[in-house]
């Protein structure tokens, strides 16, 4: 009688193994503050040994955290990557849906990241976060059909992004209330409101508001 064949073992490539370790680290950092996650925790979550984690991340926890944060930053930037089709405000709503879903799925890690003060926070991690903010501002300006915004419009967009971050932190602190859809709509309304205030001082922003109002009437 021929014995049943056991499942074939496939050795992971270097990139696959690194991705596995990063995924395990991201899962832990999403729901626990960085200082509460050890390399042993990551090794256990990935089902590997601690020396193997060190083999791929010889800089230890700091290197692993920065790599995981970089991966999360790419994912967060992709939240703002919306096709330029249809009116801008519905596009912004879809962007916020993805953004709030990210916040919901990375609650503790998101709070630790934006509030700072972590023992593993460095100038590199701060630069990664700032890079996400700047990328978000560029995406939003493109959705407004503005490729080279003036200082007032640029500042207004960046101020609103800061407000979105603050609202997200408060939302987590308040037990994710109001519901995400209600928060999204409120943030879109705030975006129009701050643009309208700036429009009273800046012709460029006034033109943007006019276009948004025209879209809403379509």
């Amino acid at each position: 009688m021929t014995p049943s064949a056991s499942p074939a073992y496939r050795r992971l490539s270097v990139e696959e193994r690194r991705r596995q370790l990063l995924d395990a680290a991201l899962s832990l950092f999403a729901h626990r503050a960085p200082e509460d996650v050890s390399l042993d925790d990551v090794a256990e979550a990935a089902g590997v040994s601690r020396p193997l984690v060190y083999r791929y991340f010889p800089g230890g926890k700091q290197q692993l955290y920065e790599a995981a944060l970089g991966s999360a930053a790419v994912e967060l930037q992709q939240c703002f990557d919306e096709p330029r089709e249809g009116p801008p405000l519905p596009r912004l709503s879809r962007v916020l849906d993805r953004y709030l879903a990210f916040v919901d799925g990375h609650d503790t890690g998101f709070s630790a990241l934006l509030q700072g003060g972590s023992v593993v926070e460095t100038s590199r991690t701060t630069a990664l976060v700032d890079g996400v903010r700047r990328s978000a501002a560029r995406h939003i300006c493109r959705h407004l059909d503005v490729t080279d915004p003036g200082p007032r419009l640029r500042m207004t967009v960046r101020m609103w992004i800061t407000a979105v971050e603050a609202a997200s932190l408060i939302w987590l602190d308040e037990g994710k209330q109001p519901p995400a859809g209600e928060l999204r709509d409120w943030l879109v309304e705030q975006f129009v409101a701050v643009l309208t205030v700036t429009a009273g001082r800046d012709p460029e922003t006034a033109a943007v508001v006019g276009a948004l109002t025209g879209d809403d009437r379509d």
Side-chain angles (χ1 to χ4, degrees):
M1 182 175 179
T2 304
S4 59
S6 59
Y9 173 79
R10 185 175 72 87
R11 183 183 297 274
L12 297 181
S13 68
V14 171
E15 186 54 39
E16 288 172 331
R17 180 67 75 185
R18 189 175 188 276
R19 182 70 258 170
Q20 178 199 29
L21 296 175
L22 279 178
D23 286 345
L26 276 170
S27 178
L28 293 170
F29 288 134
H31 302 294
R32 291 159 62 180
E35 53 267 33
D36 295 333
V37 177
S38 69
L39 285 183
D40 286 331
D41 293 329
V42 175
E44 181 180 357
V48 301
S49 66
R50 179 188 175 98
L52 183 63
V53 179
Y54 264 114
R55 184 188 306 171
Y56 283 83
F57 298 96
K61 176 177 168 179
Q62 182 65 46
Q63 183 185 6
L64 180 58
Y65 175 67
E66 290 179 5
L69 179 58
S71 179
V74 170
E75 183 180 346
L76 190 52
Q77 287 178 7
Q78 289 172 345
C79 292
F80 295 89
D81 191 11
E82 174 72 19
R84 293 174 60 183
E85 300 172 356
L89 293 184
R91 287 185 241 159
L92 185 59
S93 293
R94 292 190 290 272
V95 165
L96 287 172
D97 280 338
R98 290 193 294 271
Y99 181 87
L100 292 174
F102 180 93
V103 173
D104 185 33
H106 298 77
D107 43 17
T108 302
F110 183 85
S111 297
L113 174 64
L114 290 188
Q115 289 174 329
S118 169
V119 295
V120 292
E121 184 179 16
T122 67
S123 59
R124 290 187 295 274
T125 62
T126 301
L128 281 170
V129 176
D130 190 56
V132 172
R133 293 170 179 148
R134 292 179 181 277
S135 175
R138 288 193 297 269
H139 274 289
I140 291 171
C141 286
R142 282 198 291 268
H143 285 303
L144 297 175
D145 289 325
V146 179
T147 56
D148 186 21
R152 289 179 179 82
L153 177 56
R154 185 167 58 247
M155 182 179 293
T156 300
V157 170
R158 294 184 66 181
M159 285 172 57
W160 179 76
I161 290 170
T162 301
V164 170
E165 290 180 359
S168 299
L169 291 173
I170 296 170
W171 184 62
L172 293 176
D173 192 53
E174 292 289 337
K176 299 177 183 177
Q177 291 297 322
E182 184 178 331
L183 177 60
R184 172 206 62 212
D185 291 343
W186 181 47
L187 290 172
V188 171
E189 291 166 2
Q190 282 200 339
F191 184 59
V192 176
V194 295
L195 285 174
T196 300
V197 171
T198 304
R201 297 174 175 268
D202 180 45
E204 179 187 35
T205 308
V208 167
V209 172
L212 290 177
T213 303
D215 285 332
D216 287 343
R217 288 195 299 265
D218 288 342

